[in-house]
Structures are given as C-alpha cells and as structure tokens.
C-alpha cells in the first residue's frame, strides 16, 4: 500500500546509494560519494525510517528520514539493463537493528 516501499542499494567504485521504491515513489534517501576499492563490507541499517551506512563496521553517514515503512527489495543483482557486475560475498537480512559489536564482528570477523 502507499505507506510501504522496497529498499534497494547501489554500490560502485564511486560510492553507495540507497533508494526506496513503490508506485510513483523512487527517492534516493542516502548517497555517499566515497571511493571503494578492494573488498568492502557494507551495512545499511534502518532505524525509525532512516537509513544509516556503515563501511567495514564503521559509521559513515545517515540518510534522509522518510515516512514509509521499508522492506528489502525482492531482487538481488538487479534486472534488465541494471544487472550486477562484480563479486558478492554474502547478503544478510535481519529483522532487528544489530548492535555496534555485532556489526563489527560481521565486518571484521573479530
């Protein structure tokens, strides 16, 4: 319904963007123009309709707070001309906000 949106994440060598999408709704709610090289651990956390980006376990940036309830998008790797090119190690979805310690362990293994 109108109060809900899917969430998509775009990652490239020039940064990370988070988008929300539903009918007639497709805002970019977080954009971080950070160069990425090599292996990177990217975590997006939503708290009270606001996305927060962590890179390699470290806080990077918070995005815009929106009014919609968000859900992970059902496509992994894109569709049509927006297909993923690169390497993907793992994708994890949680139904709760992870603690700082939990995010650190996932990002660094320690």
């Amino acid at each position: 319904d109108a109060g809900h949106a899917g969430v998509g994440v775009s990652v490239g060598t020039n940064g990370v963007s988070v988008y929300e999408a539903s009918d007639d709704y497709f805002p970019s709610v977080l954009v971080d123009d950070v160069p990425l090289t090599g292996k990177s651990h990217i975590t997006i956390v939503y708290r009270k309709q606001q996305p927060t980006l962590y890179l390699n376990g470290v806080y990077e940036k918070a995005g815009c707070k929106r009014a919609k309830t968000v859900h992970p998008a059902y496509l992994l790797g894109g569709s049509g001309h927006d297909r993923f090119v690169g390497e993907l190690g793992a994708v994890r979805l949680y139904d709760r906000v992870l603690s700082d310690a939990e995010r650190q362990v996932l990002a660094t293994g320690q």
Side-chain angles (χ1 to χ4, degrees):
D1 68 42
H4 295 261
V7 175
V9 179
S10 176
V11 179
T13 58
N14 61 342
V16 178
S17 297
V18 178
Y19 300 89
E20 294 179 4
S22 64
D23 291 339
D24 299 319
Y25 177 80
F26 193 69
S28 176
V29 294
L30 189 155
V31 175
D32 191 18
D33 297 327
V34 60
L36 298 174
T37 58
K39 184 178 177 180
S40 297
H41 187 273
I42 296 164
T43 305
I44 307 296
V45 175
Y46 262 85
R47 286 185 193 94
K48 300 178 183 178
Q49 289 90 11
Q50 182 179 28
T52 303
L53 170 64
Y54 295 84
L55 293 178
N56 301 314
V58 178
Y59 170 85
E60 178 72 17
K61 185 175 186 179
C64 300
K65 185 173 182 178
R66 306 303 281 199
K68 295 192 182 277
T69 300
V70 296
H71 308 276
Y74 66 90
L75 291 174
L76 181 61
S79 63
H81 67 280
D82 295 327
R83 295 307 250 163
F84 173 76
V85 176
E87 295 180 29
L88 183 64
V91 174
R92 293 182 181 98
L93 300 174
Y94 295 88
D95 62 356
R96 63 184 176 82
V97 174
L98 301 180
S99 70
D100 290 341
E102 289 172 313
R103 283 191 307 276
Q104 190 66 32
V105 168
L106 288 171
T108 66
Q110 300 178 11

